[in-house]
Amino acid sequence: MPMDFSYKETWLHKINPSLKLLVMVLIFIHLLLIHNTNILINYMIGMLVLYLFFTGHPWRRLLVISIPFLFIFLTSSTSMIFFGKGEITWAEWGLVHITEESFFRGLHLGFRGIIFAVLGIVFALTTRPVFLFYSLMQQLKLKPKYAYSFMAAIRLIPLMIEEMQTLHYALKVRGVQGEKGVRGFYNKLKSYSIPLLSQSIRRAYRIAVAMEAKRFSIPGNRTYFYRLGFSKFDVIFLCYLLVIIPLAYITANHFPYFSITDVRFGR
Amino acid sequence: MGKGLKLSDILVTIIIALIFGVIYKLWGPLYGVVATLGLHLEQLLYGMWFIAAVVAYLVIRKPGVALLAEVAAAQGEFIFGGEWGVATLIFGLGQGLAAELIFAAFRYKRYDMLIASLAGIAAAFASLGIDFYYGYIGDLALWNMLVLCGTRIAGAVLISGVFSHLLVQSLEKTGVTNLVRPAAKEDYQALG
């Protein structure tokens, strides 16, 4: 769980969480409009710099976390490489038809997947959920009943994991043997999910009643334990992006890696 | 009602969503492994990512729950460091809206397997729509794109339609759903 491992605080941690989230959504939309792999690769390097040097987590952990990136690259690119539309054929075996266009489109998708993964991990590693929800309430006017429900729910997850462990032991000690096949899988799934879900719903309901009694659901003016605002780190973050993104465009125009500038079919 | 969701509805929705958020996160690597087999077999698993909306709605049966659940589950997957990062949030929003629209179209009056499957299919279409821009699926060979759409929709029906309905049926037997559902017409009739 990301809650209890140690790390150094960096400037990425001090950015306003709402701003960080909004910027990430804007970057997502922006990335969907980029069809030039050269720009995308430079973009990716700019984001990888954030991941590698500024999250404040030790190298070893960063390495372990980045293993799935490779998976992301493969899963997002392979089917496009093998089955994408294209005219300049490179190889063909049965259904598989690799063309130059589909290959580069596949690469493009792979890099795109990696950028999203990197940004997501950067966000997850440098943002405390509690601060995110306080900030959403204060800056984006999220209703307190939603924010506090979310924070309470996050606190319940470790309890649920503990409960799952208990359930596992309970089934074991009673000698419940799993059957094989789809039916066995279904039964196993049911024997875990039903008790977990029902217990969690009961617990959530009890907590909600208590929270309502404590007037957590009242909208309007209220005081907050944490006050979040904006700081110079927000400016640094925005400046970083405002330098890196135009730079990605300029270098891609002057020093392209590939000659293809639009990976969509027929463009 | 008129006042929207109560805090207890919200908290129960979010806890259901977060349980599925954890499953969504674990589902990612599984999806990745199956994807290496090729031919879009992994798309059969895709339906799991629509299930939070359907289950939450079937349990709580109130307007807005499906959307909230899907967004919250996506948000959960995002803050646990899911592989798709921000993309998850956008997909979650789209899928949640699609499922919500289906439930709204039946005026939040139907809770059977058919409606669950329809919501799953709608969510699948929403995700395909986003994938059109995000994954260039329109540029796949036609047969391949059809396989992708077909398997994803089939997966949606199987997992978020059939499986989620069976799951909620078993949950009903535990009696926990009576806690959170609004009183039905039969309940008032029983009062005489």
Side-chain angles (χ1 to χ4, degrees):
Chain A
M1 285 277 102
M3 290 153 200
D4 53 54
F5 58 26
S6 64
Y7 53 83
K8 279 203 304 279
E9 280 232 327
T10 62
W11 60 279
L12 280 177
H13 290 86
K14 293 174 186 141
I15 300 168
N16 183 288
S18 300
L19 179 87
K20 215 190 300 185
L21 188 68
L22 274 184
V23 166
M24 297 229 162
V25 173
L26 288 180
I27 288 180
F28 175 86
I29 295 166
H30 181 213
L31 279 172
L32 291 188
L33 303 173
I34 295 180
H35 307 292
N36 184 339
T37 313
N38 300 306
I39 300 173
L40 202 69
I41 291 175
N42 294 334
Y43 213 124
M44 182 180 71
I45 295 169
M47 300 304 144
L48 273 176
V49 167
L50 286 181
Y51 173 67
L52 292 174
F53 301 108
F54 298 115
T55 55
H57 287 258
W59 279 99
R60 188 186 296 243
R61 190 180 302 147
L62 290 179
L63 262 176
V64 172
I65 295 173
S66 58
I67 293 169
F69 291 176
L70 196 69
F71 249 132
I72 283 293
F73 185 82
L74 288 177
T75 54
S76 346
S77 61
T78 43
S79 57
M80 183 53 82
I81 290 179
F82 290 158
F83 309 117
K85 281 182 198 162
E87 272 150 12
I88 307 161
T89 302
W90 281 2
E92 201 167 3
W93 309 283
L95 290 173
V96 176
H97 182 206
I98 302 178
T99 63
E100 187 180 319
E101 294 97 320
S102 70
F103 179 76
F104 283 108
R105 204 179 303 125
L107 277 190
H108 191 81
L109 288 178
F111 289 132
R112 196 183 258 178
I114 287 188
I115 297 183
F116 289 142
V118 166
L119 282 175
I121 295 285
V122 166
F123 189 90
L125 288 179
T126 63
T127 313
R128 284 180 52 189
V130 172
F131 288 165
L132 172 65
F133 289 106
Y134 270 91
S135 166
L136 286 176
M137 276 192 286
Q138 289 166 30
Q139 270 87 46
L140 297 183
K141 305 288 171 235
L142 179 71
K143 278 192 183 153
K145 58 180 177 181
Y146 291 96
Y148 284 112
S149 297
F150 220 109
M151 284 188 270
I154 288 178
R155 292 277 176 241
L156 293 178
I157 289 179
L159 275 180
M160 259 155 28
I161 291 170
E162 206 174 295
E163 214 165 61
M164 201 163 105
Q165 199 53 257
T166 314
L167 209 61
H168 178 71
Y169 294 142
L171 289 172
K172 204 169 170 186
V173 86
R174 286 165 179 76
V176 175
Q177 300 264 324
E179 304 155 61
K180 289 208 171 61
V182 178
R183 196 171 181 81
F185 179 73
Y186 175 70
N187 283 336
K188 193 168 178 183
L189 207 64
K190 232 170 99 171
S191 61
Y192 279 94
S193 58
I194 299 299
L196 273 180
L197 270 171
S198 61
Q199 278 304 350
S200 306
I201 291 173
R202 277 200 192 96
R203 194 181 292 129
Y205 185 77
R206 281 202 299 271
I207 291 173
V209 170
M211 282 170 76
E212 267 168 2
K214 294 259 183 194
R215 313 299 255 165
F216 268 94
S217 50
I218 294 236
N221 285 338
R222 57 175 301 131
T223 52
Y224 297 101
F225 187 73
Y226 299 109
R227 274 251 151 230
L228 291 145
F230 296 97
S231 64
K232 63 176 186 209
F233 299 104
D234 302 305
V235 183
I236 295 175
F237 182 54
L238 291 177
C239 286
Y240 178 82
L241 293 175
L242 286 179
V243 171
I244 285 294
I245 295 170
L247 204 65
Y249 276 88
I250 295 167
T251 44
N253 280 335
H254 291 279
F255 311 102
Y257 308 97
F258 313 111
S259 57
I260 292 180
T261 53
D262 193 329
V263 294
R264 286 171 299 174
F265 184 67
R267 301 290 174 106
Chain B
M1 296 256 297
K3 283 193 302 181
L5 297 169
K6 286 185 302 182
L7 196 142
S8 57
D9 302 326
I10 297 171
L11 187 56
V12 171
T13 308
I14 290 179
I15 198 76
I16 294 173
L18 279 189
I19 294 175
F20 285 110
V22 175
I23 295 174
Y24 285 11
K25 170 74 185 90
L26 301 175
W27 213 244
L30 178 68
Y31 179 82
V33 170
V34 178
T36 53
L37 298 174
L39 287 178
H40 299 310
L41 275 177
E42 80 279 3
Q43 296 297 332
L44 284 173
L45 298 175
Y46 204 104
M48 185 55 100
W49 280 299
F50 313 140
I51 199 174
V54 180
V55 169
Y57 169 74
L58 290 180
V59 169
I60 299 168
R61 299 185 171 177
K62 282 183 187 165
V65 162
L67 176 63
L68 175 65
E70 193 64 21
V71 171
Q75 179 78 27
E77 188 185 353
F78 179 61
I79 54 182
F80 303 140
E83 282 93 335
W84 284 275
V86 215
T88 322
L89 293 180
I90 309 290
F91 277 93
L93 186 65
Q95 292 159 7
L97 269 177
E100 186 72 43
L101 277 178
I102 293 289
F103 297 136
F106 289 90
R107 296 171 169 234
Y108 304 100
K109 290 262 162 65
R110 288 192 47 189
Y111 327 103
D112 45 36
M113 197 182 277
L114 181 73
I115 193 89
S117 308
L118 277 178
I121 292 172
F125 272 109
S127 73
L128 287 168
I130 301 171
D131 257 338
F132 192 78
Y133 296 97
Y134 174 76
Y136 297 134
I137 55 172
D139 284 353
L140 284 168
L142 185 65
W143 67 270
N144 201 265
M145 190 186 79
L146 291 178
V147 170
L148 184 142
C149 297
T151 41
R152 186 176 295 184
I153 290 169
V157 170
L158 273 178
I159 298 181
S160 60
V162 177
F163 176 66
S164 70
H165 192 257
L166 292 176
L167 197 72
V168 175
Q169 260 183 346
S170 318
L171 263 182
E172 276 165 4
K173 282 184 207 146
T174 66
V176 70
T177 48
N178 298 334
L179 217 55
V180 287
R181 273 180 195 162
K185 210 181 277 166
E186 297 91 73
D187 299 334
Y188 287 117
Q189 277 163 357
L191 287 174

